[in-house]
Each structure stands twice: as structure tokens, then as C-alpha cells.
Amino acid sequence: MSFTKEFLKQEREAQWRLDLRNTIKNKERAAIERVSMPELDPIERAKEQRVEVNTGLPVEAAQKEASRCMDCVNPTCIDGCPVSINIPKFVKYIEKGDFMDAATTLKETNSLPAVCGRVCPQEKQCEAQCFYVQKMKKPAVAIGYLERFAADYERESGVQNLPKVAELNGRKVAAIGSGPASLAFAGDMVKMGYDVTVFEALHEIGGVLKYGIPEFRLPNSTVDLELDTLEKLGVKFEKNYIVGKTASFDDLKGLGFEAFFVASGAGLPNFMNIPGENYNGILSSNEYLTRVNLMNAAEEDFDTPVLFGKNVAVIGGGNTAMDSVRTAKRLGADRSMIIYRRSREEMPARVEEVNHALEEDIEFMNLNNPVEYFADENGRVNRMRLLKMELGEPDASGRRRPVPVEGSEYDVPVDLVVVAIGVSPNPLIPSAMPNLEVSKWGTIEVDMDTMQSSIPEIFAGGDIVRGGATVILAMGDGRKAAAGMDKYLKEKYSTN
Amino acid sequence: MNKIVHKEIFSEKVVKFDVEAPLIAKSRKPGHFIILRVGEKGERIPLTIASADTNAGTISIVVQNVGVSSAKLCALEVGDYLTDLVGPLGKATEIHKVGTVLTCGGGVGVAPLLPIVEGFKKAGNRVVSILAARNKDLIILEDEIAKWSDEVIIMTDDGSYGKKGLVTHGAEEVIKREKIDECIAIGPAVMMKFTALLTQKYEIPTQASLNSIMVDGTGMCGACRVTVGGRTYFTCVDGPEFDAHQIDFDEMIKRLGGYVEEEKAAYERFQVLN
């Protein structure tokens, strides 16, 4: 569901919106300062893996922030949202005090509002397109904080307003993987009346929301509630099931599944392939975070072990690197270091995560690149060799290319190294489907408007298509795939 | 949840389970493994499938009690349920007609070897199998292996059964005696390393099945990385079988010890509590 300009205009002319706009002059709205997110004390919070850093806006603060929004004639913020949330409508509901209606508005297009309110890079999306930023050179309306506020308000109210679901249309479809792309897909499909089953390889539903993003940023209870909503809408979940392995696509077709949405993620962690990288104590961020988040390895009564480092180096500058280094700090590291080959400017991580990490005393060793690791007699890493870098001309990504400073190598003692330099597509699904067109990077080739692959009944989205992106882009893919698949199935059956 | 329908105690520390898993029983091939969990706080344990019964809808696994997780598994009884079971994982063994195949199994490595022996025999090969263990009690699945082998040679470290000596002694005798076209070795890393060194000397193509440490088993974590021919591979999705002559066994053995302190401490805590 995307909104036409006319529809949005009509909604904007609703009496309650008109009344609300007349209560405060735009000049007064613009004079209000952007709210800041209340958060826990950095020293205290850095001791707890499972306590959320951001505590959420209080009611008055949320309403005041919502009143900054001028309910623009042309709400450009929506264009910045990959899942096309009706942003002015939900924000105005908050201003008005109708918080449950705000939450319902979010759920019309977003299956995971409490998640997105916490992990979306809003500063690059909706908030980047806000009138304040575009025309007034002022900080954007805090759309992300408000999204979280509305979603949390509903959860805390104990009342779960379910979006409308069409009558079952008798068509069975499958989503493969249970991360954000699949959940967004499943939410839209179930609302359109499809019988949706989500297949997950791991023993928990949620994909990266569970194994990847730590609880201090996204509590599992928040994810579970969103999963519960989907389940109540009729989405079925199958854990411990690898499509293409446990059963083939053909087996599933035999069971009545007519189309598939492949969102199996970018499974394989990248390494740098430098000497010593296979020593013990050097692991991927996927492994480190999975042990801690999914397997609860840091807790004594859980069986999975994790290494507790004293001098921990995390290689990379993305959100996963921030999650890893802040986890290491929480698990008792004396030194938690980010080793990043470019400068702060070029870091792909969300601004908020970098700021939180800085507040928590994470050391940022920017313009440094590891070149070799050394180990003790048992093969456990004890030292890394870094090479200093400087910034040269911009490269293909538009960011300034890091250039080694010759002869600048120096050694740093470490006992745990987490490599967080990105992931490659998981080959499990593509290898099970020899006719599926994949790129040279192993990503599935799709029509980016419909997310349909070279095999008509197979759609794909998220990291298996993009090779490594964000929760919200994956969700946008899931929504597009749902629309694409619905159209495909309708056309297929109208001609028969 | 997968029900345990049969339990057989092979020795004090080695147990075989038949577990309900109808889909996996149907889709598994020799070389495939599964991952299971015992309890909501349990570890993900990778185990290679020893055999499957498609009619009964069960698979068989053999487990050796070596730590907390395997102890919890071994303590389960018929009628109990595994909390989670997923598979089949990994690449299947490449089975073809080559002539004579020498298969070497050490300890519980004989369990994953069984479907491979069966596969090579059914593909029309002459199969000579060597089963090795520290002593008689630890020799497992002898009859099952014998069913699909032209000859079975037993080797024990202490000479309590079969011939006294290591698997490599038995293997070298066979290699000197007749032409071997391919060798498969599954067992402790050290056993596979020395088998590989032996067959390299005689230029016999050899596959070894690795039991690296894993978490997810689907290619996601990279805990199971292994150097083969100078390149890093993931045992879970690129293996578990690799060209044994190309495997960096010394690195692999060190990596198997990556959590040895944590595992030891956990086992001590566990034994105090149980």
C-alpha cells in the first residue's frame, strides 16, 4: 500500500487535521527545539548487555515534538521512507493525543514499527527529507523517536489493535528466512488474504533482529511482540526448516505453495584474508553477536561459550561493528577499540550508534587497518599489527579512499578480535535452484520494482538481493515483493 | 521437537539415538549433518547423520559424551524430545565408481563413515574398511560397516580386539597389498592428519570429514573456518568433506581447542551439579 498524492491531500483536509493546524502558528511550531532522546547514564548502561540505552520519550515530550511538524502540503518525509509510512498522519495523531490511532496508522504499512523506531537510520531517510532540513536548515522532526513512542505506547497499553485482514483467498505462499524482509512481506500478504508460512533455519524467529542486533539497542521482547502481532494476523512460522535442504521447492509446491519470497539474508561473513586471521580469538561479528544474542552465551546457565576479551579490537565502522564493540565493553573488556580504515566522516554506522559508543568510552582508532595477527603457543591471538592510513581521492562509493602510510606499522596487544567488515550472500538457497539468475557476487537478480526473480514464482529481497543493507531497506523489499507477488498471482489466475 | 524412539548404548561414553525427523530422513545424503539442541539453554550441536530410515521417518546419530552438551544429550531416554533439530546440512559426499575405496573410521567417526561406505558399495566399488579405536569397547557399528564392505579390518591401540596398532598401520598394509583408488578418513583430527600424510605418500586421493566448531551451521558465523590449499573455507557450507591432502590439520586442531578453557570450566560446574 502506497499513498497517492490525492489521497494524502484528502486526508490532510480532514476536519481534525485542519483544527489541529489552526491551534498553533507555524512560526511557533518552528521555534520549538527538537527533543532529545532520554538515555541511561553511559557508565552504568555499559555494564548491562540487556538494558536498553534509549528510554523513550515521555508523553508530553512526544506531543511537543509532534507539534513541531507543520503537516506540510507536500509531505516529502514519506518519500524518504522505504515502507511509505503515512508520517504526517501518525505524527498529528500524537500531537492530538490519539496515540493508539498513531500506532494503528504505523501498522497500516509497517509490520515492525517498534523495531523501525529503534534501528532505522532516520537521519538518512524520512528525517533527511523533512521540511525543517530541506528548507529551514533546522533539525528534522524526530520522526523515529515518535514512531517508537507510538509503538511502545500501544504495547504498554496492553491493547493490541490489529490491522484489517482480508478474507482468506485460498492461496498459499512461503517466505524463506524470518528477518525484517520476510516479516514485512508476510504482514502485507496476510493482510491481503494469503495463507503465509515463514520458514526459518535457526531455532528462533526474527533473523538479524534476534541474532544480530543486541538487546541494548533492540530488546527481544519488542521483537517478540511484533511477531505475536503477525501470528495473530494469521502468519504461520516454521523453525528449524531450511527450504532447499529439509525439503525442496518442489516438495513445497506439492504441499500447495504457489509462490516464494526468498529473504535468506547475507549469511557469509567477510574476512580480510590477512596472515593470522584464523587464530583463536578472532571471529566474525556474526559469530560473536550470535553467541551473545541468540545463544545467551555470556550467561553462565546457558551452554554456549563466548570468549571474554580484556583488549578487544573490532574491525569495521558499520552498525554491526558498533554493536560488537559495545557488547565487548558490556562483557567486561578493559579496552574496546574500533579499528576503521577511514575517518569518522565516512563511517557507515548510524550517527546515534557512534555517539553512544563514544559516550561509553569506546576507543576509535580511525585511519588504521590491521595487516597481520600474532598468537601465543596455543594459537590464541595476542597481538595485532596495524598500518596507519590517510584519505586520498574519493572511490566508487563516493567516500575518500584510504591510502596506507608507508612504514607506519605498529603493534597493539589484543586477546579478542571481532571482524565486522560486511557479509556476502548466503549461497544455500541459490545453490538449491540452479535456474535462478544470480550476480557475480551471488546476490539474486530481481526486477527491483516487483522483486520477481528469473523464475516467475520466486521473488527475493533484503540482503540476498542487496548484499548487505539495513533493516528498513529489507522491509521495503518485502513490501514491494508482496505487491509484486499479489499482482503475479492475480494475473496468473485471471487468465486461467 | 523431535522424539527419541530408540537408544543404544555402545559404550560407557558412546550412545546411538534414533530420532523422529521424517523430512530429514528423506532428504539426507551420505556426508550430511544435522544440528540439534537439548533444552532452551542448550548449545547448537552439529552431528553427522549415521543412517536414516525413510519408512520409520527416523535418523540415527551417534554421540560421545565429552562435555556438558554431549552429556545432556547422552542422558536423554526413549520418549524424550530434542528441543530443536535442523538439517540436512553441509555438502553430500561425492560418491562415484572409482574401483577400490579404502574407508578409515576412528572412534565415533565410524558413524558418519557408515552411509559413505554404503554409498560407495552401492556405486559398485570394492570397499575395504578399517575401524580403529583405543580399545574393543570403543569399536562401534562393526556389523553395519561389514554389511557394505568387502573386508573389515579392526585396529585397537591396546590390541584388545582385532590387530594392535593405529589406523595408519592397517591402512598401509592394505595400500601395499592392493591398488587403492580413493580413501575416506573420518575420526579424530590427529587420526585424519596422519591418514592423510600416509595416503599422500602413496598419492591416493583422500577425503576427510571435519568436525569443526560451529554455531549456526548454515554459513553465517564462520566459526568453522578451515584452511584448505591455502584458502579459507567454511566447514558447514563448503564441507564437511575436503581434500585431506590440502587441509591445514595443525591449524584445524588448534581451532578445535578455541574454547577449551570455557568448556572445561563448564564441564566441571556441570559435574558438581549433577
Side-chain angles (χ1 to χ4, degrees):
Chain A
M1 184 161 76
S2 244
F3 305 104
T4 61
K5 296 265 182 257
E6 291 73 54
F7 176 82
L8 290 171
K9 211 170 196 173
Q10 243 175 40
E11 282 214 315
R12 188 174 175 272
E13 294 311 315
Q15 195 57 49
W16 70 271
R17 296 268 286 265
L18 280 168
D19 293 345
L20 209 55
R21 280 204 293 281
N22 289 332
T23 53
I24 312 174
K25 289 200 178 85
N26 272 350
K27 208 172 161 188
E28 287 165 38
R29 292 181 189 275
I32 305 168
E33 259 186 56
R34 178 181 158 119
V35 71
S36 38
M37 172 59 80
E39 50 192 53
L40 298 179
D41 174 70
I43 307 296
E44 288 307 308
R45 77 191 188 214
K47 295 173 186 161
E48 301 280 350
Q49 176 72 9
R50 299 194 183 282
V51 176
E52 201 178 0
V53 170
N54 286 344
T55 55
L57 298 183
V59 171
E60 308 74 45
Q63 282 187 283
K64 191 172 170 195
E65 181 63 23
S67 71
R68 288 183 68 221
C69 169
M70 298 185 206
D71 200 1
C72 303
V73 182
N74 180 18
T76 42
C77 49
I78 301 182
D79 302 333
C81 176
V83 298
S84 310
I85 290 174
N86 193 338
I87 293 168
K89 188 178 175 187
F90 102 79
V91 171
K92 289 299 109 179
Y93 269 135
I94 293 178
E95 183 183 340
K96 187 166 172 262
D98 293 343
F99 308 131
M100 293 300 271
D101 289 327
T104 305
T105 305
L106 289 169
K107 282 198 276 191
E108 282 169 10
T109 64
N110 185 348
S111 307
L112 312 168
V115 171
C116 292
R118 287 171 165 81
V119 305
C120 269
Q122 290 97 3
E123 73 267 14
K124 291 179 188 161
Q125 295 174 334
C126 51
E127 294 183 15
Q129 303 302 323
C130 175
F131 185 76
Y132 278 87
V133 173
Q134 294 284 327
K135 302 283 190 235
M136 299 173 71
K137 295 208 162 43
K138 282 188 173 190
V141 173
I143 301 167
Y145 296 169
L146 293 174
E147 180 179 25
R148 171 184 164 157
F149 169 80
D152 285 1
Y153 184 90
E154 184 186 15
R155 184 185 63 216
E156 284 155 19
S157 77
V159 181
Q160 211 174 349
N161 282 339
L162 296 178
K164 274 191 214 117
V165 174
E167 231 173 275
L168 277 176
N169 62 18
R171 306 244 165 265
K172 241 163 106 170
V173 299
I176 297 161
S178 69
S182 267
L183 298 177
F185 166 86
D188 274 14
M189 288 304 269
V190 83
K191 282 182 226 163
M192 288 189 277
Y194 288 90
D195 179 354
V196 189
T197 305
V198 175
F199 293 93
E200 166 58 47
L202 291 174
H203 59 269
E204 279 230 31
I205 301 295
V208 72
L209 307 175
K210 280 284 176 68
Y211 74 74
I213 303 174
E215 292 218 50
F216 56 79
R217 200 147 78 80
L218 177 65
N220 281 347
S221 56
T222 303
V223 182
D224 286 336
L225 189 88
E226 312 249 37
L227 295 175
D228 184 56
T229 306
L230 287 170
E231 213 157 10
K232 287 201 173 113
L233 292 178
V235 176
K236 295 170 192 155
F237 292 102
E238 282 274 356
K239 298 184 285 189
N240 296 316
Y241 200 114
I242 304 178
V243 176
K245 287 260 185 195
T246 307
S248 67
F249 281 88
D250 285 340
D251 291 336
L252 290 178
K253 282 180 195 166
L255 292 172
F257 289 95
E258 301 188 51
F260 302 85
F261 176 57
V262 180
S264 48
L268 303 186
N270 294 339
F271 287 91
M272 293 175 69
N273 298 312
I274 56 175
E277 209 174 18
N278 286 348
Y279 286 135
N280 290 327
I282 304 178
L283 45 150
S284 73
S285 48
N286 269 1
E287 178 180 351
Y288 187 57
L289 293 173
T290 300
R291 284 180 184 273
V292 177
N293 298 334
L294 182 72
M295 307 310 295
N296 299 289
E299 287 169 43
E300 208 171 85
D301 54 338
F302 282 77
D303 294 341
T304 305
V306 67
L307 299 174
F308 293 88
K310 282 292 159 204
N311 294 302
V312 184
V314 175
I315 318 300
N319 287 322
T320 312
M322 298 305 140
D323 288 345
S324 302
V325 78
R326 295 170 70 199
T327 294
K329 178 91 189 173
R330 283 161 171 75
L331 300 194
D334 295 332
R335 273 187 95 178
S336 316
M337 301 166 263
I338 282 282
I339 315 293
Y340 181 52
R341 63 194 180 127
R342 304 183 202 239
S343 73
R344 169 93 186 265
E345 283 285 272
E346 294 81 22
M347 270 194 177
R350 289 175 81 211
V351 174
E352 184 179 61
E353 307 313 325
V354 177
N355 288 340
H356 280 166
L358 283 165
E359 290 165 14
E360 289 165 13
D361 266 346
I362 304 299
E363 286 177 59
F364 280 75
M365 298 170 70
N366 295 335
L367 292 167
N368 272 290
N369 206 26
V371 288
E372 187 170 358
Y373 298 102
F374 302 89
D376 64 17
E377 67 281 5
N378 297 321
R380 173 78 184 259
V381 67
N382 59 10
R383 195 155 51 93
M384 69 178 168
R385 180 155 298 163
L386 297 178
L387 178 65
K388 291 193 174 161
M389 311 293 276
E390 57 191 11
L391 293 177
E393 293 302 307
D395 63 13
S397 73
R399 294 178 298 175
R400 292 179 66 192
R401 183 195 303 275
V403 184
V405 178
E406 242 174 85
S408 66
E409 290 96 338
Y410 66 109
D411 290 0
V412 176
V414 286
D415 56 0
L416 184 65
V417 176
V418 179
V419 183
I421 57 164
V423 283
S424 297
N426 195 324
L428 271 181
I429 301 290
S431 68
M433 308 216 80
N435 296 326
L436 194 65
E437 269 178 38
V438 293
S439 72
K440 62 178 172 182
W441 298 281
T443 52
I444 298 177
E445 301 270 20
V446 295
D447 172 336
M448 286 306 284
D449 291 325
T450 62
M451 309 312 284
Q452 192 168 27
S453 75
S454 58
I455 302 174
E457 70 273 22
I458 308 267
F459 294 70
D463 281 359
I464 191 69
V465 166
R466 295 175 179 271
T470 57
V471 165
I472 190 66
L473 286 173
M475 290 180 63
D477 288 353
R479 298 206 64 217
K480 274 196 281 178
M485 190 185 287
D486 176 54
K487 187 162 171 270
Y488 162 76
L489 288 172
K490 278 194 176 126
E491 279 168 10
K492 187 173 166 184
Y493 288 101
S494 68
T495 52
N496 283 352
Chain B
M1 299 285 275
N2 302 72
K3 192 177 178 181
I4 293 171
V5 294
H6 184 75
K7 178 178 183 180
E8 194 176 337
I9 293 169
F10 281 162
S11 67
E12 192 197 344
K13 296 248 176 202
V14 180
V15 178
K16 179 187 158 200
F17 290 107
D18 295 346
V19 183
E20 276 180 359
L23 293 176
I24 301 173
K26 220 174 90 183
S27 53
R28 68 95 210 190
K29 291 191 174 71
H32 279 150
F33 67 96
I34 51 97
I35 284 195
L36 61 81
R37 260 184 2 126
V38 181
E40 287 302 336
K41 295 180 176 178
E43 216 174 342
R44 293 174 66 87
I45 312 171
L47 286 167
T48 310
I49 301 167
S51 62
D53 182 337
T54 46
N55 293 326
T58 58
I59 58 166
S60 305
I61 47 172
V62 174
V63 55
Q64 185 170 17
N65 181 346
V66 290
V68 175
S69 295
S70 50
K72 284 185 180 174
L73 178 56
C74 287
L76 294 181
E77 297 296 342
V78 170
D80 288 343
Y81 286 82
L82 301 176
T83 313
D84 296 286
L85 176 66
V86 65
L89 296 160
K91 283 188 177 160
T93 312
E94 281 181 31
I95 289 175
H96 31 234
K97 187 166 179 198
V98 290
T100 302
V101 180
L102 175 65
T103 69
C104 303
V108 286
V110 173
L113 190 66
L114 175 61
I116 299 171
V117 169
E118 178 181 343
F120 273 103
K121 185 66 205 166
K122 283 180 172 169
N125 296 284
R126 171 177 157 77
V127 179
V128 179
S129 297
I130 302 177
L131 308 186
R134 282 202 311 278
N135 58 49
K136 186 180 179 195
D137 288 346
L138 298 172
I139 293 288
I140 62 168
L141 297 168
E142 185 188 346
D143 293 343
E144 290 82 351
I145 292 280
K147 189 177 164 196
W148 302 105
S149 304
D150 295 273
E151 185 185 351
V152 177
I153 298 162
I154 307 284
M155 305 291 300
T156 49
D157 293 3
D158 64 357
S160 55
Y161 188 43
K163 290 184 190 168
K164 186 175 174 176
L166 299 171
V167 70
T168 40
H169 298 138
E172 191 153 21
E173 259 180 49
V174 176
I175 292 166
K176 282 182 169 162
R177 179 186 82 190
E178 62 182 299
K179 183 175 177 292
I180 301 296
D181 299 289
E182 192 167 330
C183 175
I184 314 288
I186 310 182
V190 178
M191 169 254 167
M192 292 191 283
K193 174 184 167 179
F194 283 99
T195 308
L197 286 172
L198 174 76
T199 58
Q200 195 162 20
K201 195 167 90 185
Y202 292 97
E203 295 177 355
I204 301 165
T206 300
Q207 302 287 317
S209 175
L210 305 185
N211 59 334
S212 312
I213 291 177
M214 293 181 189
V215 184
D216 65 290
T218 62
M220 204 177 81
C221 81
C224 63
R225 47 196 206 280
V226 56
T227 303
V228 182
R231 268 191 60 191
T232 296
Y233 289 89
F234 289 1
T235 304
C236 65
V237 286
D238 300 318
E241 285 159 36
F242 294 99
D243 178 347
H245 299 157
Q246 302 290 321
I247 297 168
D248 182 343
F249 278 108
D250 293 335
E251 178 190 275
M252 193 233 162
I253 290 165
K254 278 202 169 139
R255 286 189 62 79
L256 282 174
Y259 289 87
V260 72
E261 292 301 321
E262 290 73 15
E263 286 160 357
K264 227 171 79 187
Y267 203 26
E268 277 162 14
R269 280 198 304 273
F270 178 77
Q271 282 169 326
V272 170
L273 293 172
N274 287 275

